[in-house]
Amino acid sequence: MMKTGKQRFAILLLSVGMVLSGCSGRSAQEQVSPGQAAEAVHEQGHQTQLSNGDIQEATASIDELPVFLKSQTSEMQTIYALSAQVSDVLKFIPCYCGCGDSAGHESNLNCFIDEIQEDGTVVWDDHGTRCGVCLDIAVESAKMSSEGKSLTEIRTTIDEKYSTGYAKPTPTPMPPAES
């Protein structure tokens, strides 16, 4: 994916200046199974609160950010917009905050986007607004992608960096073999 100079600058700026707190753990009563997130019915403009506390909201496309971001910083809004732009990368990058167990996430993408439907509707998730690990992984992955790193290189770098001292990774599939 080709990045504009403005996108590369935003990625670099965010990766240099990001200092955010980590996720808070969830109790066993608050944990969500992977199927529970999919059970929520989403209509555009409607917010759904999941049993793990995350809020999900649908918009018409990746170009329309969810209302729950209006109270967030411009940096947070930029990271969410960036996550949509690199969704093809983040779906192959695990998250190491524990959201695989606590929220049923399958990759770092799910910290920001639950799904992109066939009609282009995006179901956003607010999990990333409260989690520095999620944000750091997304920004680092986007930065490496903008530098021309392959999915395998990005995945290897993230796995190596977060394999010690962080929660168990999400059950993320490996990137396809590269030609």
Side-chain angles (χ1 to χ4, degrees):
M1 174 182 266
M2 191 61 119
K3 305 287 185 253
T4 66
K6 186 177 179 181
Q7 289 171 321
R8 279 190 222 115
F9 179 74
I11 292 167
L12 182 60
L13 181 64
L14 288 169
S15 65
V16 170
M18 186 170 309
V19 179
L20 298 167
S21 62
C23 293
S24 60
R26 304 252 187 237
S27 69
Q29 292 89 351
E30 295 174 308
Q31 290 183 1
V32 173
S33 70
Q36 285 177 302
E39 291 174 10
V41 175
H42 296 282
E43 299 172 19
Q44 289 183 22
H46 176 75
Q47 291 185 353
T48 302
Q49 184 156 9
L50 304 178
S51 60
N52 70 343
D54 287 356
I55 293 172
Q56 292 186 343
E57 180 182 336
T59 64
S61 72
I62 64 168
D63 297 321
E64 181 183 347
L65 292 175
V67 173
F68 67 70
L69 287 177
K70 288 189 186 230
S71 63
Q72 299 293 329
T73 65
S74 61
E75 290 84 5
M76 183 71 67
Q77 293 172 20
T78 300
I79 294 170
Y80 265 78
L82 183 65
S83 72
Q85 292 173 8
V86 295
S87 61
D88 57 332
V89 173
L90 297 184
K91 70 182 179 183
F92 293 109
I93 306 301
C95 189
Y96 283 83
C97 77
C99 62
D101 290 335
S102 68
H105 290 176
E106 296 179 2
S107 71
N108 184 247
L109 178 63
N110 296 141
C111 302
F112 308 95
I113 296 175
D114 181 59
E115 69 175 318
I116 300 175
Q117 300 172 353
E118 284 186 31
D119 67 357
T121 298
V122 178
V123 179
W124 301 89
D125 193 300
D126 80 332
H127 181 85
T129 65
R130 299 178 307 280
C131 184
V133 173
C134 303
L135 295 166
D136 287 344
I137 290 171
V139 171
E140 290 171 39
S141 298
K143 181 178 182 288
M144 286 186 274
S145 177
S146 76
E147 294 169 346
K149 304 280 188 205
S150 71
L151 287 173
T152 302
E153 289 173 310
I154 297 167
R155 171 73 181 254
T156 300
T157 300
I158 295 297
D159 284 342
E160 287 174 358
K161 179 175 181 176
Y162 291 91
S163 65
T164 305
Y166 293 89
K168 181 176 88 173
T170 53
T172 307
M174 292 301 289
E178 298 180 60
S179 50

